[in-house]
């Protein structure tokens, strides 16, 4: 080869002319070029997806032989984590009192008294009794019950127990009534 041949520019392939304003449809070569561009873009996109998957495997973003936060866990552990994250431990513990009341206080007390509500802000458990005698008995045992409940539920979950007597029957107004009487409120609760 001669030196002039080395430095001379190579002939370029003729460029197709873009369709002018008068041309209405692309030619076969134009269609082939646009199809080739679309295929290259799709291949580039698929290559990026494969590369992302490889990077995810390489950097530990996928679950494998070692455990991470996305691995399956037992239902009890998942519920405990949810209760802890949301701050529902004391609410769930007190809700357990309602179901386990007979085991916590004993069958005799449970037969005549049942928990009716719990005020979480004041840590007050309200207990309803079926007679005034049992309400009095439960008031005498309140300190022991608070200690037992806190042992079962956690420290300072229940501070006081509010004991309610039986609900009085509806007050009836009749012809025969003693003057100054409060009705059933005189003898109930």
């Amino acid at each position: 080869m001669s030196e002039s041949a080395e430095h001379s520019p190579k002939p370029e392939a003729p460029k197709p002319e873009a369709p002018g304003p008068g041309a209405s449809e692309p030619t076969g070569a134009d269609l082939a070029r646009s199809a080739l561009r679309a295929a290259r873009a799709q291949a580039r996109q698929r290559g990026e997806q494969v590369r992302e998957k490889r990077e995810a495997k390489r950097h530990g973003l996928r679950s494998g032989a070692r455990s991470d936060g996305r691995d399956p866990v037992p239902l009890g552990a998942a519920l405990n984590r949810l209760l802890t994250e949301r701050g529902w431990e004391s609410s769930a513990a007190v809700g357990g009192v309602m179901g386990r009341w007979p085991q916590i206080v004993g069958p005799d007390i449970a037969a005549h008294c049942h928990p009716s509500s719990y005020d979480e802000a004041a840590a007050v458990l309200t207990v309803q009794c079926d007679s005034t005698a049992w309400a009095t008995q439960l008031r005498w045992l309140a300190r022991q019950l608070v200690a037992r409940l806190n042992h079962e539920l956690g420290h300072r979950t229940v501070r006081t127990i509010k004991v309610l007597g039986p609900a009085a029957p509806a007050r009836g107004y009749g012809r025969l009534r003693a003057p100054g009487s409060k009705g059933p409120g005189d003898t109930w609760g």
Side-chain angles (χ1 to χ4, degrees):
M1 284 191 139
S2 70
E3 285 183 29
S4 63
E6 286 180 31
H7 296 290
S8 66
K10 295 182 182 178
E12 295 180 14
K15 293 183 180 177
E17 294 180 16
S24 61
E25 294 184 28
T27 62
D30 293 334
L31 290 174
R33 279 189 203 97
S34 65
L36 180 62
R37 275 193 299 264
R40 283 181 179 167
Q42 287 177 352
R44 209 174 296 122
Q45 187 178 16
R46 276 181 290 188
E48 288 174 10
Q49 290 173 351
V50 169
R51 188 171 1 97
E52 287 174 3
K53 285 182 182 179
R54 285 183 190 151
E55 289 292 321
K57 278 185 181 180
R58 194 174 301 139
H59 295 296
L61 298 177
R62 299 192 66 165
S63 181
R66 293 175 204 89
S67 64
D68 63 3
R70 298 172 296 134
D71 286 337
V73 294
L75 182 61
L79 287 176
N80 286 338
R81 184 171 42 178
L82 179 68
L83 291 174
T84 303
E85 288 172 357
R86 303 290 171 118
W88 295 339
E89 292 108 343
S90 63
S91 300
V94 172
V97 168
M98 305 297 182
R100 297 182 313 145
W101 182 252
Q103 291 87 16
I104 294 172
V105 299
D108 293 336
I109 296 174
H112 299 282
C113 305
H114 63 278
S116 58
S117 66
Y118 175 71
D119 180 14
E120 188 173 351
V124 176
L125 179 67
T126 305
V127 178
Q128 180 82 41
C129 297
D130 62 2
S131 71
T132 54
W134 275 103
T136 303
Q137 182 68 25
L138 199 64
R139 285 185 189 107
W140 281 99
L141 296 173
R143 284 190 180 182
Q144 294 171 1
L145 288 177
V146 167
R148 191 179 303 169
L149 288 168
N150 284 329
H151 177 72
E152 292 282 328
L153 305 175
H155 183 64
R156 305 291 262 163
T157 304
V158 177
R159 289 188 181 154
T160 58
I161 295 179
K162 181 179 178 182
V163 181
L164 302 177
R171 186 172 180 182
Y173 296 95
R175 292 181 321 197
L176 302 175
R177 241 180 111 191
S181 168
K182 295 180 186 173
D186 285 342
T187 56
W188 286 74

